[in-house]
Amino acid sequence: MQYAAPQTVEAAIDLLTSHEGAHVLAGGTDLLVQLRSDRVAPEVIVDIKRIDGMKSIRDDSGGFRIGAAVSAAEITEHAGLGAAWPGLVEAAGLIGSTQVQGRATIVGNLCNASPAADTTPALIAAGARIVISGPTGTREIPAEEMTTGPGRTTLAKGELVEAVRLPTRAARSGDAYLRFIPRTEMDIAVVGAGVSLSFDDAGMCQAARVALGAVAPKAVLVADAAAALIGTAIDDAALEQLAQACAAACNPIDDKRGTIEFRTQVAGVLAKRAAVAAKERAFAAQK
Amino acid sequence: MSQIHVSTTVNGDAVEFLCEPDETLLDALRDRLGLTGTKEGCGTGDCGACSVTVDGRLVCSCLVLGAEANGASVDTIEGLGQGDALHPLQRKFLEHAALQCGVCTPGFLVAAKSLLDRNPDPTETEVRYWLAGNLCRCTGYDKIVRAVIDAAADMRSQAAQS
Ligand code: FES
Ligand code: FES
């Protein structure tokens, strides 16, 4: 195995293209565990942290551009992100331990493609876009199109994620991410729900995105759940509709961590709570 | 497999070592630099025994490659005390009997130091969450948490006096 720390995206793409087994290293919290257990045996490891922009959170015409190697800890400490996207920040704060958050990245969380990744539903709810560079140039896709199933992404050979882009936040907007785990910390989501809402002057929801994790082979954007909220003041009836739409979108596995029935029910409950929290934040941000 | 030349700073001293491309920072610290205070419990990021800081950031050294430390500043348990003088955290761990076998202790101390550097007056809940990634099979945690809170108080009063 070789270790390479290229200085440019082009050099990284060259390495990824010219080696059969090449693996990107950002935070390494998944990769080093896989290396140790021989689940992966890359010919070359491409450490992207020395590439300009990979470790920075930048203003992006009113939104944010988060470099692919920015750690969860850097996200939870960023005041601007905390104000605009508290739901994404709380999801980042749920990954593993303090030590793991010091290294783990939200892009790694996305690319590792676990159905239970905490930051993925939050990114999807936020309407994040993923900037991907490869031998044929740069493309941008919505976060929900990044993974195709457990451990699988749409990245082609030679491609790597450069950054996540978060859109400009409208006034009276808020987001939230909640997960269910049987303990209080250091666990993997049995169900996760991310909700992002925007309201008009009259207090009516005018835009909504709802995403669920750990209830299907990949995190899902639930359009019917968003539709249940738009045009309402997030009243009880709307929340009930939201829960039903979420339950209908579930296609979970049955395992020791949660049965199909349990995950399906909890998805609706968490989505409701996340919607209420997102609404509170939308109006708290006004003051 | 050709070895990689790494120049780094460990506990304030410039050091250089050669390591394999797939060698962890934990192994490099222990086997190349003889700094065996940092322990390996699991090797998979679950136990925190290998905690160090890299450029001031608390991490599991078993999840960092030695090669990644090039140009970085690493702090380990060996840098916590000043010569023979124990750090207040070390003193309070002894006073509170916050260790038994001691394998987890360096990791807890490095992690607790990193917390107190950021937050000199943490609540019990904050201490418990911060240290959630440090496992101890002996003490039951309560004494560790009390030692950290007591050390924090000690350090605050020392800071107020100076
Ligand atoms: S040895 Fe690194 S976390 Fe256990
Ligand atoms: S004192 Fe033995 S593991 Fe903590």
Side-chain angles (χ1 to χ4, degrees), chain B residues 46-70:
Chain B
D46 296 293
C47 76
C50 64
S51 297
V52 302
T53 61
V54 177
D55 292 333
R57 180 70 67 188
L58 182 68
V59 299
C60 295
S61 59
C62 72
L63 295 184
V64 180
L65 292 175
E68 289 180 80
N70 197 25

Side-chain angles (χ1 to χ4, degrees), chain A residues 222-235:
Chain A
V222 189
D224 289 350
L229 300 178
I230 293 171
T232 77
I234 318 294
D235 50 29

